[in-house]
């Protein structure tokens, strides 16, 4: 049974979305939402925020509400490889701590007031705020066709999965893996962020632990 169909857009109008995602992708996504809703399925919309589309955030709330989307997930842009090392286009770069805090929480509250359930990661932790890792305090599984099962999506590019399917059984893997990394304590908060998509000196929260704003 399908609980919800999730769709992803990078902007409220087609011109903004298609500049980031490719020509025609906006219409395909919006049509998919309408078809899913027409058949009685619940829908969710994902919006990944960058400097290229931060001004679209409020409009995304109106779009979600107009399409009957029940949940909007505001996601932080993840950077890896050359982009993480400073090779990203400044126009599509990840928001700084100041930019994220100045825009996202307030916009999320405004969108929730329109009747849309809003979910977003905390991303940046206050100095005295405790860090929690979902690999230790939550029950998430990311299953891949090759049998690997990860507990953290940031580990997926590396063969450090802590679980795998053998036949029809889910078993723990031996050797050094993500489970050992979860136990490390680093000043930045998330050890995987510090290793593969560094934010700099800011303390970063676990991307799997979300802020929930219910409609109304």
């Amino acid at each position: 049974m399908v609980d919800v169909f999730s769709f992803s857009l990078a902007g409220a109008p087609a011109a903004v979305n298609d500049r980031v995602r490719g020509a025609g992708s906006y219409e395909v996504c919006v049509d998919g939402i309408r078809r899913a809703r027409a058949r009685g399925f619940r829908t969710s919309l994902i919006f990944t925020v960058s400097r290229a589309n931060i001004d679209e955030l409020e409009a995304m709330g109106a779009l979600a509400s107009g399409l009957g989307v029940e949940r909007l997930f505001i996601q932080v842009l993840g950077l890896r490889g050359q982009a993480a090392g400073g090779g990203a286009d400044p126009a599509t770069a990840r928001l700084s701590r100041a930019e994220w805090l100045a825009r996202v929480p307030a916009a999320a509250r405004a969108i929730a007031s329109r009747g849309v359930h809003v979910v977003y990661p905390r991303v940046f932790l206050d100095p005295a705020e405790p860090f929690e890792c979902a690999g230790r305090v939550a029950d998430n599984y990311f299953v891949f066709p090759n049998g690997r099962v990860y507990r953290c999506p940031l580990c997926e590019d590396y063969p450090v999965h802590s679980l795998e399917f053998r036949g029809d059984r889910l078993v723990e893997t031996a050797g050094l893996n993500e489970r050992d990394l979860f136990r490390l304590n680093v000043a930045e908060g998330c050890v995987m962020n510090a290793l593969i998509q560094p934010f700099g000196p800011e303390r970063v929260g676990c991307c799997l632990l979300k802020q929930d704003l219910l409609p109304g």
Side-chain angles (χ1 to χ4, degrees):
M1 180 178 178
V2 176
D3 292 326
V4 61
F5 277 106
S6 227
F7 300 84
S8 181
L9 285 174
V16 175
N17 177 83
D18 290 2
R19 186 170 66 244
V20 177
R21 296 288 175 83
S25 58
Y26 181 89
E27 284 302 324
V28 170
C29 184
V30 171
D31 180 61
I33 293 172
R34 289 178 174 142
R35 290 169 62 189
R37 293 286 300 153
R39 297 187 181 187
F41 291 106
R42 297 176 64 235
T43 54
S44 172
L45 185 57
I46 301 169
F47 178 59
T48 302
V49 178
S50 72
R51 285 182 181 158
N53 62 11
I54 180 61
D55 292 331
E56 295 294 309
L57 184 51
E58 290 80 1
M60 288 298 294
L63 177 65
S65 178
L67 290 172
V69 171
E70 289 92 349
R71 183 175 64 183
L72 176 65
F73 178 35
I74 304 169
Q75 178 64 290
V76 63
L77 179 67
L79 300 179
R80 302 185 188 184
Q82 183 181 2
D89 181 346
T92 58
R94 181 169 47 198
L95 299 180
S96 68
R97 176 189 179 98
E99 290 167 328
W100 178 272
L101 295 179
R103 301 289 298 273
V104 174
R109 290 192 293 270
I111 294 169
S113 71
R114 302 178 66 102
V116 179
H117 181 183
V118 182
V119 181
Y120 65 95
R122 287 289 311 280
V123 187
F124 299 105
L125 300 176
D126 296 327
E129 194 171 358
F131 170 77
E132 289 185 305
C133 171
R136 301 172 66 176
V137 302
D139 201 22
N140 301 288
Y141 299 87
F142 301 88
V143 181
F144 285 74
N146 60 6
R148 293 179 181 177
V149 180
Y150 292 84
R151 302 299 304 277
C152 171
L154 296 183
C155 298
E156 293 169 1
D157 290 343
Y158 306 93
V160 293
H161 49 291
S162 55
L163 299 161
E164 64 184 21
F165 276 105
R166 295 178 189 167
D168 59 354
R169 297 185 61 196
L170 184 62
V171 298
E172 292 189 350
T173 57
L176 183 67
N177 59 53
E178 60 181 351
R179 186 170 51 247
D180 303 290
L181 297 173
F182 298 155
R183 300 190 182 103
L184 299 178
N185 295 314
V186 297
E188 296 85 355
C190 175
V191 65
M192 292 309 300
N193 260 306
L195 287 174
I196 67 172
Q197 50 176 34
F199 276 83
E202 298 98 344
R203 294 187 67 237
V204 180
C206 177
C207 65
L208 290 178
L209 301 182
K210 308 296 194 299
Q211 190 80 24
D212 253 323
L213 296 179
L214 297 177

